């Protein structure tokens, strides 16, 4: 007898459970007939029991056992075997193969061979398909390497244990219950046969027998003539189905008359609906969770499906810190910005505001790709305005982390270095960790330690590969924070629901394309043999049999069962599963109101309705920045103007690779300004030879590029600079060819001319791109490098392109034409309006019959156009002064360049309009 004998032998039975969740639940329950104190039920999964047997064998020396590979290590070994084989067979084409996917299929094939031993004979056939032939070679090499190093895969170890049990090894319990298994594999059947041959009494049950829950016997289900009829609920779509399930669960929970009432929601494809269900459950049952300090409050529901450890914010911060530590090459600027805005390292609390300002400066001052020296220089400049000593120290430590480090070392040594880097960066941060964060930190420590167990398998690695392996381990590790007690609502997949009983159950996703599941035979094993032995997922018949068993078990797991399905997915019609039994229609209660609606209802008369379309009017002496953009935004949507120019809300700059459209437009403006300062008028332009014009344009473009580099404090890459200079020259030469064809003479009076005018007490500052002297007066031009230009709004009550009308109507006294200069590579053109024709190609005069912008009856002459602009611009300025700030616009497309779209709450507005 060993130390485990008391746990596994004797009168107390052993419960082998289909899932970890079922085993955990049974360990917290009281056996029937026990008093206030009772012995914990011995409930384990099959894998957990095999692990205990391995410990027993190791302690007692009962058998010489190899080292069991964990699933990740096993997959890595398959990858190595397949990579070496491909390197010999495919040569240079080897990197084109999906190595992780092939290794996963090979690992699955090996597991099937262990669970269905009869499949092994199929690989001995003299003629095999190419895939099976490949796998046979891979398997031979995989097993050879395992023998050489004393390793064994999990399935092989389970086969070994069954053999040792049959040979008389290990101490065994007198009675064993097998709970919640929908179907037994041949390996599991051989285990039961070995146990029975050893004198163990084996019982198989769908549900745990005679175990109390919260002081009461587990629910007594009706099974005979009085068996309850399940309810059917056809939902409009998947979203409506989720909402109905949550509303039903909330109503059942509210109607519960005793403690320990259990509600289940089971979905075949839980991963697809998890986020929506979680949001709906929080909104219906835990509206306080919206507050940051309640984000981890105890819930009355629980999901069986965890999330990858790498998705936890604290672990994500750790991986980001490690990926940037000692980085010598170029790095995407956005990665530095994300790190600065993340918590979990030095200064994440005390210097949060300064770090946010530094992140904004990163977007504004650094390019799409940057490197550590540039970041550290920016930190020094920013520290003069907002000191951030802890953050600066951590960043300097990260930058220097790789100094003197060996290029390649074992994973265990990398794990130690990773821990040192995180400690130098102050991970996991300043504040006290929450319960979920503490558990995530502990899990990450276990994964980091597990990296060292790969030394023999992987050998020396470079830093990038070691970090890649650490990230894979974190993505593979499923993290599910521990919960206190047993939540009333369990949200489960069909496999995780095995052996569980409920007072009420909602089974969703019962569509014919989801239930039964589609067959998925392993591609590396002969499909006909998989079907013949009935291997998992081998055929439609196997999946149908499995689905029937699960459906029957779920229908027996609660006295009240609801079956639901979606009737449509967009334009696609969907049908219910053929496995659904007959049932009655479900009459749902009223939809659970949202948290906002409940708060308004509870507040009652204390709620005050506020008209948020009006802001405080401008106070005496209050100035508003924005120039012509202020009036443009007010004309398009008053709320845009209020949020951006009165409240100073603005979007952060977004780095792009190369030059963004705004930077390219700036270069065009600067190059044209430089060219016209030298050329001056139409006569000189037309007198230039092609060679002279090309040379003048080249000089202007060089000056524009040099000025841009000076403004951003860094040079452009040499190759990129050459390409951009060539593009800019082609664009300008194409445009100047159109300018040379303008009728009559003109002289450039000013370029990039600053101007200022007061409208209704609001000071409007602007920059006029160009002013030409033409016969009869002045022509105002505004360069545009985008194709979408609207001049029709100039005749409307709300002028959404006000810059040129402002100058023509409120500043100049002799303007005779205004136009946009569309500097485009394919179709350069002018677009605008003129007092008379023949001033610009394509711009008709007011009296021209082709002119369609200003109707003759409303605008008979040029002064009437100027008067219209004067009146409408003053009217829009008066709206600004009065505080008009409603979310009102004629076309949502006009908000394309709005920086405060989230504040306009456009999705909510669309829903409100849809309900009207």
């Amino acid at each position: 007898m060993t130390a485990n004998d008391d746990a596994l032998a004797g009168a107390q039975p052993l419960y082998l459970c289909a899932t970890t969740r079922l085993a955990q639940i049974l360990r917290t329950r009281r056996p029937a007939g026990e008093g206030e104190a009772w012995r914990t039920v011995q409930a384990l999964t099959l894998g957990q029991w095999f692990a205990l047997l391995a410990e027993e064998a190791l302690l007692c020396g009962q058998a010489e056992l190899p080292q069991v590979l964990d699933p990740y290590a096993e997959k890595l070994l398959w990858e190595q075997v397949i990579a070496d084989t491909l390197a010999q067979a495919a040569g240079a084409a080897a990197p084109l193969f999906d190595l992780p996917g092939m290794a996963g299929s090979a690992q699955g094939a090996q597991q099937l061979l262990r669970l269905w031993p009869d499949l092994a004979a199929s690989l001995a056939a003299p003629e095999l398909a190419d895939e099976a032939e490949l796998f046979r070679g891979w398997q031979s090499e995989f097993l050879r390497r395992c023998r050489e190093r004393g390793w064994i895969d999990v399935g092989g170890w389970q086969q070994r244990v069954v053999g040792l049990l049959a040979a008389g090894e290990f101490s065994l319990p007198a009675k064993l219950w097998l709970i919640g298994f929908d179907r037994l594999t041949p390996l599991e059947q051989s285990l039961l046969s070995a146990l029975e041959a050893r004198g163990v009494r084996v019982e198989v049950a769908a549900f745990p027998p005679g175990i109390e829950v919260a002081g009461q016997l587990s629910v007594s289900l009706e099974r005979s003539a009085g068996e309850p009829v399940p309810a059917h609920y056809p939902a409009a779509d998947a979203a409506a189905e989720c909402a109905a399930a949550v509303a039903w669960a909330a109503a059942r929970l509210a109607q519960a008359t005793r403690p320990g009432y259990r509600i289940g929601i089971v979905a075949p494809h839980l991963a697809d609906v998890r986020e929506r269900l979680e949001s709906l459950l929080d909104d219906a049952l835990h509206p306080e969770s919206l507050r940051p300090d309640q984000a981890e409050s105890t819930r009355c529901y629980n999901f069986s499906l965890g999330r990858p450890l790498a998705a936890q914010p604290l672990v994500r911060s750790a991986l980001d810190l490690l990926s940037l530590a000692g980085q010598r090459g170029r790095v995407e600027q956005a990665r530095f910005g994300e790190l600065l805005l993340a918590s979990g390292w030095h200064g994440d609390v005390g210097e949060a505001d300064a770090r946010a300002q530094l992140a904004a400066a990163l977007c504004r001052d650094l390019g799409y790709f940057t490197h550590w020296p540039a970041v550290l220089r920016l930190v020094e400049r920013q520290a003069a305005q907002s000191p951030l000593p802890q953050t600066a120290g951590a960043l300097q430590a990260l930058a220097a982390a790789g100094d003197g480090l060996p290029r390649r070392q074992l994973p265990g040594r990398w794990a130690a270095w990773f821990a040192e880097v995180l400690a130098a960066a102050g991970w996991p941060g300043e504040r006290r960790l929450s319960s979920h964060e503490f558990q995530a930190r502990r899990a990450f420590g276990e994964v980091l330690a597990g990296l060292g167990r790969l030394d023999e398998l992987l050998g020396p690695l470079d830093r990038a590969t070691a970090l890649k392996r650490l990230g894979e381990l974190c993505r593979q590790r499923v993290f599910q924070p521990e919960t206190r007690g047993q939540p009333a609502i369990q949200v489960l997949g069909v496999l995780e629901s095995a052996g569980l009983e409920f007072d009420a159950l909602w089974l969703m996703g019962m569509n014919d394309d989801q239930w039964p599941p589609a067959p998925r035979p392993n591609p590396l094993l002969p499909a006909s043999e998989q079907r013949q032995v009935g291997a998992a997922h081998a055929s439609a018949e196997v999946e149908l049999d499995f689905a029937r068993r699960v459906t029957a078990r779920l229908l027996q797991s609660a006295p009240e069962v609801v079956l639901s399905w979606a009737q449509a997915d967009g334009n696609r019609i969907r049908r219910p599963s053929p496995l659904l039994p007959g049932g009655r229609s479900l009459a749902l209660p009223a939809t659970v109101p949202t948290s906002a609606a409940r708060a308004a209802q509870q507040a009652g008369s204390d709620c005050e309705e506020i008209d948020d379309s009006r802001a405080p009017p401008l106070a005496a002496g209050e100035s508003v920045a924005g120039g012509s953009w202020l009036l443009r935004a007010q004309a398009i949507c008053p709320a845009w103007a209020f949020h951006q120019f009165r409240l100073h809300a603005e979007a952060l700059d977004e780095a792009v690779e190369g030059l963004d459209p705004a930077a390219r437009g700036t270069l065009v403006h600067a190059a044209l300004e430089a060219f016209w300062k030298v050329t001056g008028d139409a006569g000189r332009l037309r007198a230039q030879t092609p060679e002279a014009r090309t040379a003048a344009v080249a000089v202007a473009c060089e000056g524009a590029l040099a000025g841009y580099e000076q403004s951003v404090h860094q040079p452009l890459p040499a190759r990129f600079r050459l390409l951009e200079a060539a593009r800019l020259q082609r664009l300008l030469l194409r445009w100047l060819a159109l300018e040379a064809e303008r009728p009559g003479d003109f002289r450039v009076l000013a370029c990039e001319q600053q101007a200022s005018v007061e409208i209704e007490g609001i000071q409007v500052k602007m920059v006029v791109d160009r002013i030409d002297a033409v016969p009869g007066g002045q022509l105002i031009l505004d360069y545009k490098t985008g194709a979408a230009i609207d001049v029709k709004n100039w005749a409307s009550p709300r002028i959404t392109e006000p810059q040129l009308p402002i100058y023509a109507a409120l500043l100049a006294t002799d303007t005779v034409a205004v136009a946009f200069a569309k500097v485009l590579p394919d179709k350069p053109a002018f677009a605008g309006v003129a007092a008379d024709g023949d001033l610009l190609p394509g711009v008709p005069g007011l009296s021209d019959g082709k002119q369609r912008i200003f109707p003759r009856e409303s605008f008979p002459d040029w002064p009437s156009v100027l008067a219209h602009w004067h009146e409408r611009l003053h009217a829009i300025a008066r709206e600004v002064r009065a505080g008009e700030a409603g979310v009102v616009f004629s076309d949502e497309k006009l908000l394309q360049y709005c920086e405060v779209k989230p504040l306009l709450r456009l999705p909510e507005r669309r829903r409100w309009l849809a309900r009207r």
Side-chain angles (χ1 to χ4, degrees):
M1 298 290 284
T2 71
N4 286 328
D5 290 346
D6 291 338
L8 297 177
Q12 187 183 29
L14 170 66
Y15 295 88
L16 288 184
C17 303
T19 66
T20 303
R21 175 176 292 264
L22 177 58
Q24 290 174 340
I25 291 176
L26 291 188
R27 286 196 293 268
T28 64
R29 295 183 178 183
R30 176 171 55 185
E34 296 287 347
E36 292 298 323
W38 66 90
R39 192 174 184 181
T40 302
V41 173
Q42 294 298 314
L44 304 168
T45 64
L46 197 58
Q48 290 169 342
W49 187 47
F50 280 172
L52 283 179
L53 294 178
E55 291 180 12
E56 179 181 337
L58 184 64
L59 290 173
C60 300
Q62 293 174 317
E64 183 178 349
L65 299 176
Q67 177 185 348
V68 181
L69 291 172
D70 64 65
Y72 182 73
E74 182 182 345
K75 186 177 180 182
L76 284 181
L77 184 57
W78 279 110
E79 284 188 22
Q80 292 177 354
V81 168
I82 296 172
D84 293 344
T85 305
L86 289 177
Q88 298 175 4
L96 301 178
F97 288 88
D98 176 17
L99 191 58
M102 297 170 73
S105 296
Q107 186 177 12
Q110 179 69 4
Q111 185 178 11
L112 282 176
L113 292 172
R114 298 297 195 185
L115 295 176
W116 275 268
D118 292 345
L119 269 177
S122 65
L123 293 179
E127 294 184 3
L128 290 173
D130 292 342
E131 294 83 358
E133 186 69 40
L134 275 174
F135 174 72
R136 182 163 60 182
W138 296 344
Q139 184 198 41
S140 176
E141 178 63 17
F142 174 84
L143 295 176
R144 184 190 68 78
R145 295 189 187 189
C146 284
R147 286 193 300 270
E148 286 182 354
R149 302 180 186 182
W151 297 339
I152 192 170
D153 59 282
V154 174
W157 158 243
Q158 292 176 347
Q159 282 186 338
R160 183 78 60 89
V161 169
V162 173
L164 292 173
L165 281 170
E169 301 287 350
F170 308 122
S171 55
L172 300 173
K175 184 175 183 179
L176 183 145
W177 283 91
L178 209 64
I179 309 296
F181 287 82
D182 293 310
R183 188 179 67 160
L184 295 177
T185 66
L187 179 63
E188 292 163 347
Q189 291 171 350
S190 64
L191 170 64
L192 298 187
S193 298
L195 291 172
E196 290 174 342
R198 293 278 304 275
V200 178
R201 181 183 171 189
V202 178
E203 301 283 352
V204 180
F207 303 100
I211 296 181
E212 295 188 9
V213 185
Q216 301 179 6
L217 283 173
S218 81
V219 64
S220 176
L221 302 176
E222 301 176 64
R223 296 283 191 264
S224 56
E227 183 174 346
V229 177
H232 287 183
Y233 184 80
D237 53 25
E241 186 180 15
C242 290
V246 170
W248 171 87
R252 289 293 176 273
L253 190 62
Q255 297 166 5
T257 57
R258 62 174 176 81
Y261 192 85
R262 290 159 296 157
I263 300 170
I265 299 176
V266 175
H269 295 269
L270 182 56
D272 296 340
V273 295
R274 178 195 169 126
E275 297 299 329
R276 180 178 285 123
L277 283 174
E278 187 171 19
S279 176
L280 290 168
L281 285 166
D282 270 346
D283 193 59
L285 302 172
H286 298 282
E288 71 282 355
S289 63
L290 287 174
R291 292 170 46 189
D293 61 338
Q294 295 294 320
E296 295 183 9
S297 59
T298 303
R299 307 292 207 271
C300 67
Y301 65 85
N302 178 260
F303 280 84
S304 67
L305 179 66
R307 291 187 173 93
L309 180 62
Q312 301 306 308
L314 197 65
V315 177
R316 190 164 60 244
S317 293
L319 295 176
D320 289 343
L321 288 166
L322 294 175
S323 67
L324 291 174
Q327 182 66 255
R328 293 291 175 260
R330 297 193 306 163
V331 182
E332 291 182 19
Q333 173 243 93
R335 294 182 62 191
F336 283 107
E338 291 171 0
L339 183 64
L340 288 172
L341 296 177
S343 60
W345 56 293
H346 276 320
D348 59 347
V349 176
E351 297 174 1
D353 290 343
R355 276 175 36 173
Q357 295 175 16
L358 177 59
L362 273 172
C363 298
R364 182 182 63 247
D365 297 341
L366 298 185
Y368 186 83
F369 287 105
T370 187
H371 45 82
W372 271 113
V375 172
L376 295 179
R377 287 194 297 269
L378 180 63
V379 171
E380 292 179 3
R381 293 198 302 268
Q382 195 70 16
Q385 303 174 7
S386 302
L388 58 176
Q390 287 185 302
T391 300
L395 291 175
Q396 290 169 358
L398 288 173
D403 294 348
L405 197 67
R407 185 175 178 274
R408 298 174 66 86
Q409 53 184 352
L410 291 173
R413 299 295 300 273
W414 281 119
W417 182 77
F418 291 156
E420 293 173 2
V421 169
L422 292 176
W427 188 83
E430 298 176 348
R431 62 179 175 81
R432 183 178 179 181
L433 298 181
S434 66
S435 174
H436 290 186
E437 289 173 330
F438 181 82
Q439 294 178 56
R441 178 188 181 184
R442 182 178 59 190
F444 180 73
E446 295 171 357
V447 170
L448 200 58
L451 186 64
R453 293 195 286 271
L454 302 177
D455 286 358
E456 185 178 0
L457 181 61
L458 295 177
L461 306 173
D462 58 37
R463 186 181 70 90
T465 305
L467 186 59
K468 173 187 173 184
R469 296 304 183 189
L470 178 63
E472 290 174 352
L473 284 169
C474 290
R475 287 188 291 274
Q476 174 191 270
R477 174 77 174 261
V478 177
F479 177 72
Q480 181 76 299
E482 297 178 6
T483 56
R484 299 176 182 175
Q486 291 297 328
I489 301 175
Q490 298 283 337
V491 188
L492 311 153
V494 291
L495 297 179
E496 292 80 11
S497 66
L500 299 183
E501 298 166 298
F502 308 96
D503 293 287
L505 173 67
W506 184 293
L507 182 55
M508 62 187 300
M510 293 289 99
N511 285 92
D512 63 349
D513 56 346
Q514 292 186 149
W515 198 251
R520 293 177 289 110
N522 190 283
L524 299 179
L525 296 175
S528 57
E529 279 74 8
Q530 292 183 64
R531 291 192 295 269
Q532 183 176 350
V533 302
H537 313 299
S539 65
E541 291 76 15
V542 169
E543 295 293 68
L544 177 61
D545 176 70
F546 168 76
R548 281 174 171 162
R549 292 171 183 264
V550 172
T551 303
R553 184 250 300 166
L554 288 169
L555 291 173
Q556 294 295 312
S557 63
E560 178 186 359
V561 179
V562 179
L563 305 166
S564 69
W565 65 91
Q567 299 184 92
D569 179 13
N571 294 328
R572 182 168 66 97
I573 302 299
R574 302 182 68 188
R575 296 180 296 272
S577 169
L579 297 182
L580 295 185
R584 56 185 175 84
S585 298
L586 175 67
L588 271 181
T591 303
V592 175
T594 64
S595 55
R598 286 196 304 273
Q601 185 178 7
Q602 292 170 2
S605 59
D606 293 337
C607 279
E608 179 183 354
E609 187 171 329
I610 298 175
D611 181 10
D612 62 357
S613 66
R614 184 170 292 276
L618 285 182
E622 181 181 354
S623 62
V624 185
S628 62
W629 269 87
L630 167 65
L631 300 184
R632 181 178 189 269
Q634 183 72 26
I636 294 174
C637 177
W640 172 8
F642 172 70
H643 289 304
Q644 182 166 345
F645 298 107
R646 290 192 63 187
L647 297 184
H648 306 290
E650 59 182 11
L652 291 175
D653 294 329
E654 186 174 347
V656 298
E657 189 172 2
L659 298 175
D660 60 18
R664 285 198 163 97
T666 299
L667 288 174
V668 170
H669 281 66
L672 285 172
E673 179 185 9
F675 177 85
W676 284 113
K677 281 184 177 179
V678 175
T679 305
D681 56 38
R684 294 179 183 177
L685 174 66
R686 293 165 183 156
Q688 288 175 335
T689 63
E691 294 78 11
R693 185 178 298 172
T694 300
V697 167
V699 172
C701 292
E702 174 60 31
L705 287 167
Y708 174 79
E709 290 174 326
Q710 185 177 3
S711 67
V712 298
H713 307 290
Q714 61 180 348
L716 294 170
R719 178 62 178 166
F720 179 81
R721 196 180 193 279
L722 288 174
L723 292 173
E724 186 60 29
R727 184 199 71 85
L728 196 57
Q729 290 176 31
R730 288 194 301 271
L731 182 62
L732 262 63
L733 287 172
R734 180 74 186 274
W735 172 252
L736 292 172
L738 177 65
E739 292 249 38
E741 297 174 359
R742 285 173 53 178
D745 292 329
F746 64 88
R747 179 166 54 90
V748 178
L749 298 178
C751 290
E752 306 301 320
Q753 177 72 44
Q754 294 187 1
S756 177
V757 62
E758 186 176 287
I759 310 176
E760 297 292 333
I762 300 174
Q763 198 70 25
V764 177
K765 296 180 179 180
M766 51 191 286
V767 177
V768 180
D769 292 347
R770 186 167 135 199
I771 304 173
D772 286 3
V774 295
Q778 292 184 358
L779 165 64
I780 315 301
L781 290 177
D782 188 15
Y783 296 128
K784 293 290 185 183
T785 54
I789 296 174
D790 175 28
V791 295
K792 295 180 180 179
N793 70 92
W794 286 346
S796 70
R798 306 193 71 80
I799 301 174
T800 58
E801 292 286 353
Q803 181 161 331
L804 291 176
I806 289 173
Y807 192 89
L810 305 178
L811 276 170
T813 58
D814 57 349
T815 304
V816 294
V818 294
F820 290 113
K822 301 167 65 173
V823 186
L824 303 174
D826 50 352
K827 294 181 179 180
F830 292 98
V833 63
D836 299 309
D838 297 330
L839 288 177
L840 287 173
V843 178
L846 283 178
S847 59
D848 195 319
K850 297 179 181 179
Q851 189 269 130
R852 296 289 184 269
I853 300 175
F854 293 92
R856 288 289 300 274
E857 58 273 13
S858 300
F859 303 95
D861 52 23
W862 184 248
S864 65
V865 172
L866 299 180
H868 165 72
W869 288 344
H870 186 282
E871 177 192 352
R872 298 318 307 162
L873 291 170
H874 275 268
I876 293 172
R878 284 194 295 271
E879 288 184 8
V880 177
R881 288 205 61 83
E884 292 288 342
V887 183
V888 182
F889 49 85
S890 61
D891 187 352
E892 192 170 326
K893 294 179 182 178
L894 295 174
L895 298 172
Q896 178 182 359
Y897 299 106
C898 177
E899 295 189 24
V900 294
K901 273 188 181 180
L903 301 180
L904 303 183
R905 303 182 69 182
L906 298 179
E908 291 88 340
R909 183 180 186 274
R910 294 189 200 104
R911 287 197 294 269
W912 178 76
L913 291 174
R915 291 195 298 267
R916 296 188 64 183

